[in-house]
Amino acid sequence: MVRRVTMAVLAVSLMARVALAENDNWAIEAGWGALSVVTNLVYMPAKLIYGAIGGFVGALALGVTAGDVDTAKGVWSPTMGGHYVVTASQLRGEEPLLFVGPSYYKSCEPVAAAQWTDSARNQ
């Protein structure tokens, strides 16, 4: 398996060198594409394992808290969210790459802040 991947990466890099003489843009895009493929060989399994563990821990949190979905979503959202595939535009820095998804609790912060200021006024 490793030998096949190595041969594929070598073939793509050789094709990119041949194409460089013909068309610079195509060669550059092929290079970024090959780099994203190689990056995904490491990134995708890591992200899948991270998401699976987060799903399991979130399910445990749901059971331990007697069905509190907010607690489970607090685990599921960052671990199971985010990107599962790295693209060439993300490697170039044109788009963000999110290994960890957005926090579920960020959407609750303005409500919590408003409740706190209301309770502080009433005292």
Side-chain angles (χ1 to χ4, degrees):
M1 176 70 179
V2 174
R3 188 175 188 182
R4 287 183 181 173
V5 170
T6 305
M7 293 302 290
V9 170
L10 182 62
V12 169
S13 64
L14 289 175
M15 286 189 295
R17 287 180 182 239
V18 170
L20 186 59
E22 297 174 9
N23 186 351
D24 286 342
N25 291 334
W26 185 87
I28 292 170
E29 288 301 315
W32 282 112
L35 183 60
S36 68
V37 167
V38 172
T39 302
N40 280 315
L41 290 175
V42 175
Y43 180 84
M44 288 176 68
K47 179 59 180 172
L48 287 171
I49 291 169
Y50 181 68
I53 291 172
F56 179 72
V57 171
L60 285 177
L62 184 68
V64 168
T65 60
D68 185 10
V69 178
D70 287 337
T71 302
K73 284 183 180 179
V75 175
W76 288 331
S77 182
T79 58
M80 297 176 76
H83 297 117
Y84 282 80
V85 178
V86 178
T87 63
S89 60
Q90 290 170 330
L91 289 175
R92 285 190 297 261
E94 298 169 356
E95 295 177 14
L97 175 61
L98 300 174
F99 186 80
V100 177
S103 175
Y104 170 73
Y105 293 110
K106 290 219 181 227
S107 62
C108 301
E109 286 177 3
V111 174
Q115 290 174 348
W116 183 80
T117 55
D118 289 342
S119 64
R121 286 184 205 155
N122 292 336
Q123 290 180 355

